[in-house]
């Protein structure tokens, strides 16, 4: 589908004598905040933002570019103690892998996908992530996005309430594995 910002065209544009009329599903509203600014203004992402800063990746979401971010809400980190959070922060390599798996180059609008077709994208971390659209829903690795197509000046945000982690990346140590098993509800299968 052809999309401008988060509004996608309806099939069947109308040809006129002096041009074409394109019908969109929603009013086109230009974005005014970056990925980082949009997350910072929403308290649902405070834990993810703190981990982003600990991984030295905050600037990545502020830079110009075209990104798709699968942003986990604080619900994804329910049950994680402060000690477990510190363990995760100490392993900067694992933390960066987790965060970069939630980010993919390019702007992918959920409403722009062919319904029922699985789309395979390569994340910034390097592994694949699977998206499927249909019935006004976006599935990310078979998990339903709670809110999709939040436009920013440098990309789009799809909200998830689970932490995503690629199965083909080693975890590091047993304590970190315990923490990730507690947090991750779905692991991408190779």
């Amino acid at each position: 589908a052809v999309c401008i910002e988060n509004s996608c065209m309806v099939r069947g544009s109308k040809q006129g004598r002096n041009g074409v009329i394109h019908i969109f599903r929603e009013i086109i509203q230009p974005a005014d905040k970056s990925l980082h600014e949009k997350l910072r203004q929403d308290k649902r992402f405070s834990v993810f933002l703190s981990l982003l800063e600990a991984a030295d990746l905050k600037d990545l979401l502020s830079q110009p570019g075209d990104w798709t971010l699968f942003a986990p809400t604080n619900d994804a980190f329910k049950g994680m103690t402060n000690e477990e959070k510190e363990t995760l922060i100490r392993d900067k390599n694992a933390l960066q892998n987790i965060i970069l798996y939630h980010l993919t180059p390019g702007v992918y609008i959920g409403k722009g996908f062919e319904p029922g077709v699985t789309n395979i994208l390569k994340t910034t971390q390097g592994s694949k992530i699977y998206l499927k659209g249909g019935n006004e829903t976006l599935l990310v690795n078979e998990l339903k996005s709670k809110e999709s197509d939040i436009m920013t000046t440098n990309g789009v945000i799809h909200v998830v309430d689970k932490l995503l982690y690629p199965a083909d990346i080693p975890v590091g140590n047993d304590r970190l594995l315990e923490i990730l098993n507690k947090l991750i509800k779905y692991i991408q299968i190779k």
Side-chain angles (χ1 to χ4, degrees):
V2 175
C3 301
I4 299 176
E5 292 296 327
N6 64 340
S7 183
C8 298
M9 275 187 359
V10 176
R11 290 184 194 231
S13 297
K14 306 296 179 197
Q15 180 72 42
R17 280 184 298 153
N18 60 348
V20 178
I21 296 174
H22 299 289
I23 301 167
F24 285 83
R25 294 183 183 131
E26 299 174 26
I27 294 173
I28 299 168
Q29 298 177 347
D32 61 348
K33 292 181 174 31
S34 70
L35 289 163
H36 187 261
E37 291 169 324
K38 201 71 153 173
L39 292 176
R40 200 177 56 214
Q41 80 177 22
D42 191 331
K43 293 185 186 319
R44 294 181 299 171
F45 304 106
S46 61
V47 176
F48 181 68
L49 281 173
S50 70
L51 294 174
L52 191 74
E53 287 184 25
D56 296 327
L57 294 171
K58 179 182 86 168
D59 293 340
L60 182 63
L61 298 184
S62 300
Q63 298 173 3
D66 298 317
W67 302 100
T68 298
L69 176 66
F70 305 97
T73 63
N74 293 345
D75 288 343
F77 303 97
K78 269 187 186 167
M80 184 169 71
T81 66
N82 286 336
E83 176 198 336
E84 291 169 336
K85 185 177 177 183
E86 288 304 315
T87 301
L88 185 57
I89 288 171
R90 278 194 301 272
D91 192 336
K92 194 173 277 191
N93 186 45
L95 184 57
Q96 287 177 343
N97 276 322
I98 292 167
I99 291 170
L100 292 175
Y101 185 66
H102 289 78
L103 185 69
T104 188
V107 176
Y108 297 98
I109 307 298
K111 295 173 192 155
F113 290 120
E114 182 84 26
V117 176
T118 300
N119 300 271
I120 303 170
L121 306 177
K122 188 173 184 177
T123 68
T124 307
Q125 176 272 334
S127 296
K128 296 173 186 169
I129 199 163
Y130 300 88
L131 302 179
K132 187 191 295 187
N135 298 328
E136 301 296 315
T137 302
L138 178 65
L139 298 176
V140 182
N141 287 353
E142 297 299 324
L143 296 171
K144 185 177 176 182
S145 172
K146 295 296 180 187
E147 188 178 349
S148 61
D149 301 340
I150 300 169
M151 297 307 299
T152 67
T153 56
N154 58 344
V156 63
I157 298 170
H158 303 294
V159 179
V160 292
D161 64 356
K162 308 278 190 277
L163 198 62
L164 305 170
Y165 191 82
D168 56 348
I169 299 296
V171 173
N173 64 54
D174 290 339
R175 181 65 182 131
L176 190 58
L177 179 61
E178 284 176 35
I179 295 168
L180 291 177
N181 280 334
K182 189 175 181 179
L183 297 177
I184 297 170
K185 308 297 186 232
Y186 176 88
I187 294 181
Q188 173 237 330
I189 300 169
K190 279 189 182 180

